């Protein structure tokens, strides 16, 4: 059954075990704590948990510097605790995906320790070496301003090694067949322990040619197919969600023309243009980015996100657009990072304005793709700009008004909890919001429920209905004779908007509001005329036929997939 493609419609929630819930009172979140919070996540409507790296690591890049791929960092628990957690998810019908960080290891990894110790080491060729300082050593840094180079001399090795990221993250030589085999083995290991797939870190760099003589790195896309094939041999419904901030013209190389590569990719193009739209009130570049990222295989899916654990990367906008977003959401230098982005969390960026938060989440849930929520964003958590780099948006989850937000009983949480100002845990916490029917938490729960009732978003073909006002974004999805339509007003003033739904006969005349009683009937000319309040949004089912009723008689047909 085609509905088996679970990732086409779902709600993904990402979290770090270390900052979610501490069960044993040592100040560090752990798997046992997370296990206790599964009912919270299930209640929110989350279908898939994405765990950021939790394997043993010196923790110099929030776990993205792994020193053992086959274990659990003892700070978070044991492999046994992981399995209990995986089972707890399974019991509740939730899936788990985990980070797969194989572009590089930690410099403390046994492979690197062995590789640097002697030229004869069996692991020497697992990394990328050069006897001399390569000419391009000061090029291609991912963290400009913090990272000085991409090649560092290692005294023990008597050679230079390549690192796309920080110097403690030596790049694996991913062209080496032994390394490739090890990557498959890592996937196989975690699949066996119950995960449904991977968020693959830094994919363009994983598949890139690497070396001192490489002037222009070339992506070896075939590698993606071999990852995918292996994974699906082991477990048919397992997926890879690729982190690849690439240009739309290369998207199909990542998905594969016939959908034989990555099932999912984060839509960075839409993400950046979405923030521009929120900052400027102009939806036109966003519409363009939707068109540019439209081509994808029927089985592929976009991961649609607002903020994640990294900076909001605005590198693909024009300079003027970037400045507009900086001015609106991160005017202070201390809020910006790596000359290209903003490191704040969503709520403070939007001034804590509930209308704008709902607008942003509503867009995340209705643009083409599967929404990926960052933990704490369901509460409107804030950031701590006193913490360095991206850490400002990685503070512990705020559960209650108990000390340290109920995150830990220790007086020394591993990362300070936000305890001051409007976003302090006394004001922003799950316990309080759970009891308040009008809270952001309960609103998020309702919007997730409704998102699940519009599978057209994940499956359907979409079109943007153009209207003259650039602040209005109207998007319609058609799938299996059902249509849904979403309207967003990106501007603060209320707007009047008129449009018709391009469907034959009576079909487009009635728009049934999915969130309120405020339905719309077209005039004699078939036009809908609406007044949308500032930052307002509308979710409609077109024609108003009961989806559930209708669905039962069309389910037997051979599904037609969008092309
Ligand atoms: C991308 C991750 O999202 C980021 O947090 C990390 O620092 C780099 N990859 C290196 O692994
Ligand atoms: Ca703990």
């Amino acid at each position: 059954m085609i509905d088996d493609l679970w990732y086409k419609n779902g709600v993904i929630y990402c979290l770090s075990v270390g900052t979610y819930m501490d069960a044993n009172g040592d100040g560090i979140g752990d798997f046992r704590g997370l296990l206790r919070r599964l009912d919270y996540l299930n209640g929110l409507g989350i279908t898939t948990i994405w765990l950021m790296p939790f394997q043993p690591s010196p923790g110099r890049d929030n776990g993205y510097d792994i020193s053992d791929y086959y274990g659990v960092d003892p700070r978070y628990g044991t492999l046994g605790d992981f399995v209990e957690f995986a089972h707890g998810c399974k019991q509740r019908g939730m899936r788990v995906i985990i980070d797969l960080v194989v572009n590089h290891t930690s410099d403390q990894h046994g492979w690197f320790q062995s590789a640097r110790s002697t030229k004869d080491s069996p692991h020497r060729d697992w990394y990328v070496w050069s006897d001399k300082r390569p000419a391009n050593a000061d090029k291609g840094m991912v963290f400009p301003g913090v990272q000085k180079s991409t090649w560092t001399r290692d005294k023990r090795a008597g050679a230079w090694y390549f690192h796309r990221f920080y110097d403690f993250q030596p790049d694996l030589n991913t062209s080496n067949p032994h390394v490739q085999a090890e990557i498959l083995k890592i996937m196989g290991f975690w699949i066996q322990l119950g995960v449904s797939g991977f968020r693959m870190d830094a994919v363009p760099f994983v598949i890139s040619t690497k070396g001192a003589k490489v002037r222009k790195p070339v992506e070896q896309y075939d590698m993606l197919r071999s990852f995918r094939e292996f994974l699906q041999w082991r477990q048919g419904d397992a997926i890879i969600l690729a982190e690849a901030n690439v240009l739309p013209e290369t998207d199909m190389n990542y998905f594969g023309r016939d959908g034989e590569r990555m099932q999912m990719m984060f839509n960075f193009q839409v993400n950046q243009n979405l923030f521009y739209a929120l900052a400027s009130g102009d939806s036109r570049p966003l519409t363009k980015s939707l068109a540019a990222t439209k081509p994808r295989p029927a089985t592929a899916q976009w991961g649609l996100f607002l903020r994640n654990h990294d900076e909001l990367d605005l590198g693909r906008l024009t300079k003027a657009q970037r400045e507009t977003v900086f001015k609106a959401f991160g005017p202070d230098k201390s809020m910006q990072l790596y000359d290209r982005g903003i490191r704040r969390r969503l709520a403070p960026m939007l001034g804590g304005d509930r209308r704008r938060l709902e607008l942003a989440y509503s867009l995340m849930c209705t643009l083409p793709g599967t929404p990926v929520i960052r933990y704490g964003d369901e509460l409107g958590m804030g950031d701590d700009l006193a913490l360095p780099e991206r850490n400002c948006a990685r503070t512990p989850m705020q559960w209650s008004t108990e000390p340290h937000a109920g995150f830990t009983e220790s007086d020394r949480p591993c990362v300070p909890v936000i305890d001051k100002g409007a976003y302090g845990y006394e004001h922003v916490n799950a316990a309080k919001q759970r009891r308040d029917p009008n809270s952001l938490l309960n609103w998020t729960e309702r919007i997730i429920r409704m998102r699940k009732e519009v599978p057209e978003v994940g499956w359907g073909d979409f079109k943007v209905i153009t209207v003259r006002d650039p602040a209005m974004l109207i998007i319609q999805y058609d799938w299996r004779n059902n249509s849904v339509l979403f309207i967003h007003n990106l501007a603060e003033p209320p707007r009047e908007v008129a449009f018709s739904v391009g469907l034959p006969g009576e079909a487009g005349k009635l728009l049934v509001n999915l969130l309120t009683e405020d339905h719309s009937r077209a005039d004699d000319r078939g036009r809908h005329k609406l007044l949308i309040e500032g930052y307002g949004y509308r979710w409609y089912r077109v024609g108003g036929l009961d989806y559930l009723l209708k669905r039962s008689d069309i389910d037997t047909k051979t599904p037609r997939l969008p092309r």
Side-chain angles (χ1 to χ4, degrees):
M1 229 348 243
I2 207 73
D3 290 2
D4 281 352
L5 305 192
W6 56 270
Y7 54 91
K8 296 281 283 186
N9 271 307
V11 182
I12 303 178
Y13 182 98
C14 79
L15 64 90
S16 286
V17 179
T19 49
Y20 207 61
M21 180 67 207
D22 173 24
N24 66 355
D26 66 354
I28 306 169
D30 42 47
F31 274 108
R32 281 180 45 222
L34 174 56
L35 186 60
R36 288 191 203 157
R37 291 296 181 248
L38 291 186
D39 290 317
Y40 167 82
L41 292 169
N42 196 26
L44 188 56
I46 300 309
T47 66
T48 305
I49 299 175
W50 153 27
L51 291 184
M52 336 220 78
F54 54 81
Q55 291 84 355
S57 160
R60 295 179 68 191
D61 182 16
N62 214 37
Y64 284 91
D65 48 333
I66 293 178
S67 54
D68 173 10
Y69 288 93
Y70 300 103
V72 168
D73 192 298
R75 289 172 300 175
Y76 306 142
T78 64
L79 212 42
D81 294 327
F82 174 84
V83 170
E84 285 305 294
F85 154 76
H87 175 70
C89 291
K90 189 172 161 198
Q91 252 185 334
R92 291 165 178 85
M94 292 192 284
R95 292 177 182 270
V96 180
I97 63 174
I98 66 171
D99 248 289
L100 180 65
V101 190
V102 290
N103 175 66
H104 46 268
T105 68
S106 157
D107 59 359
Q108 300 307 305
H109 196 294
W111 304 333
F112 189 71
Q113 292 300 326
S114 148
R116 80 198 318 191
S117 65
T118 145
K119 278 200 166 148
D120 304 328
S121 156
H123 291 110
R124 185 74 169 197
D125 196 37
W126 283 41
Y127 294 87
V128 186
W129 301 100
S130 172
D131 288 336
K132 288 199 276 286
R133 181 180 188 274
N136 57 359
D138 54 359
K139 304 245 154 51
M141 282 81 76
V142 174
F143 304 124
V146 183
Q147 180 192 356
K148 297 274 167 325
S149 72
T150 50
W151 288 86
T152 294
R153 195 184 135 76
D154 185 56
K155 258 204 206 139
R156 289 254 294 286
W160 296 71
Y161 65 92
F162 176 63
H163 52 90
R164 178 59 73 179
F165 297 94
Y166 298 111
D167 59 2
F168 52 82
Q169 290 165 317
D171 265 51
L172 281 164
N173 175 10
T174 42
S175 297
N176 180 334
H178 296 289
V179 171
Q180 291 177 4
E182 191 74 31
I183 293 175
L184 302 186
K185 192 168 151 186
I186 294 166
M187 289 202 277
F189 178 82
W190 291 105
I191 283 291
Q192 199 72 26
L193 290 185
V195 309
S196 290
F198 303 91
R199 176 265 190 195
M200 194 167 189
D201 191 62
V203 177
F205 299 135
V206 173
I207 63 173
S208 218
T209 46
K210 313 179 186 193
K213 298 210 172 68
V214 174
R215 293 233 162 148
K216 214 172 165 282
V218 181
E219 286 85 11
Q220 308 159 89
Y221 293 110
D222 260 359
M223 281 171 70
L224 300 178
R225 184 186 175 128
S226 59
F227 297 151
R228 163 77 176 263
E229 268 178 357
F230 171 83
L231 193 59
Q232 296 215 308
W233 275 116
R234 286 286 168 100
Q235 186 175 302
D237 64 352
I239 62 143
I240 300 179
L241 162 54
E243 187 220 10
N245 183 351
V246 293
L247 289 171
E249 57 252 36
T250 61
D251 287 346
M252 285 306 267
N253 295 334
Y254 285 86
F255 286 133
R257 295 267 144 212
D258 297 314
E260 75 280 16
R261 294 174 184 164
M262 308 283 92
Q263 290 93 337
M264 288 189 79
M265 273 212 274
F266 286 112
N267 199 332
F268 281 94
Q269 199 70 25
V270 163
N271 175 262
Q272 310 195 9
N273 284 285
L274 174 53
F275 275 93
Y276 175 73
L278 292 170
S280 65
D282 180 357
S283 69
R284 287 168 301 184
L286 174 59
T287 302
K288 266 196 203 148
S289 71
L290 291 172
T293 56
K294 190 170 181 179
R296 59 177 152 90
T299 54
Q301 181 64 311
W302 287 114
L304 234 299
F305 64 105
L306 293 166
R307 288 289 291 113
N308 60 20
H309 62 298
D310 291 326
E311 80 286 4
L312 165 65
D313 186 339
L314 303 168
R316 302 236 178 255
L317 299 180
T318 65
K319 191 159 187 287
Q321 290 173 331
R322 193 162 41 247
E323 286 310 318
T324 303
V325 185
F326 276 147
K327 209 169 146 215
F329 299 145
D332 205 291
K333 271 272 171 247
S334 71
M335 300 165 175
Q336 301 170 7
L337 196 60
Y338 310 137
D339 310 325
R340 61 167 179 245
I342 300 179
R343 64 192 191 113
R344 304 172 84 189
R345 265 205 187 246
L346 185 70
M349 268 202 266
L350 299 179
D353 185 335
R354 176 70 179 263
R355 297 168 306 164
R356 301 188 89 180
L357 284 168
E358 288 187 18
L359 173 72
Y361 294 138
S362 172
L363 284 161
M364 173 173 67
C365 287
T366 60
L367 292 177
T370 294
V372 184
I373 303 176
R374 170 121 177 100
Y375 81 88
D377 276 2
E378 74 273 30
L379 308 174
M381 267 174 56
D383 47 42
D384 179 353
L385 293 176
L387 297 172
E389 285 182 72
R390 295 161 289 163
N391 292 348
C392 62
R394 297 172 173 178
T395 58
M397 179 69 175
Q398 295 172 196
W399 292 108
S400 68
T401 52
E402 285 167 64
H404 304 293
F407 157 69
T408 180
E409 283 178 359
S410 159
D411 251 346
R412 302 182 56 195
C414 54
V415 181
V417 178
I418 296 181
D419 58 3
K420 285 186 223 40
Y423 299 96
Y425 68 81
E426 289 195 20
H427 309 296
V428 178
N429 66 70
K432 196 166 147 187
Q433 292 198 23
R434 189 188 271 124
R435 294 190 191 98
D436 172 3
N438 295 319
S439 67
L440 186 62
L441 175 65
N442 282 317
W443 179 87
T444 307
E445 186 185 320
R446 289 193 296 274
I447 212 75
I448 289 177
R449 169 196 294 240
M450 200 40 83
R451 173 61 178 77
K452 290 176 173 170
E453 294 187 20
V454 286
E456 289 85 353
V457 178
W459 279 109
D461 199 7
F462 74 90
K463 58 173 180 265
V464 173
I465 299 180
T466 34
V467 285
R468 222 171 294 142
D469 186 346
M472 301 301 305
L473 179 65
I474 309 181
I475 181 163
Q476 180 184 332
Y477 292 85
D478 302 308
W479 183 59
R480 290 181 170 177
N481 295 327
N482 281 277
S483 299
V484 287
L485 187 135
F486 304 97
I487 305 181
H488 292 90
N489 175 6
L490 295 159
E492 186 164 25
R495 300 285 221 223
E496 228 179 20
V497 65
F499 63 93
S500 32
V501 180
L503 287 174
E506 288 300 297
K509 299 275 169 65
L510 178 66
L511 299 178
V512 173
N513 195 318
L514 293 171
L515 304 170
T516 67
E517 292 291 354
D518 179 19
H519 314 301
S520 170
R521 202 170 278 285
D523 63 15
D524 296 345
R525 291 161 51 223
R527 290 178 76 70
H528 292 273
K529 225 186 196 169
L530 302 166
L531 178 68
I532 315 279
E533 68 282 2
Y535 303 129
Y537 55 91
R538 298 281 188 281
W539 294 28
Y540 294 113
R541 182 161 289 286
V542 182
L545 285 164
D546 185 319
Y547 161 71
L548 292 172
L549 277 180
K550 231 191 143 186
R551 194 176 178 189
S552 57
D553 53 66
I554 55 166
D555 243 8
T556 49
K557 286 193 207 152
T558 317
R560 290 237 319 278
L561 299 173
R563 268 277 150 197

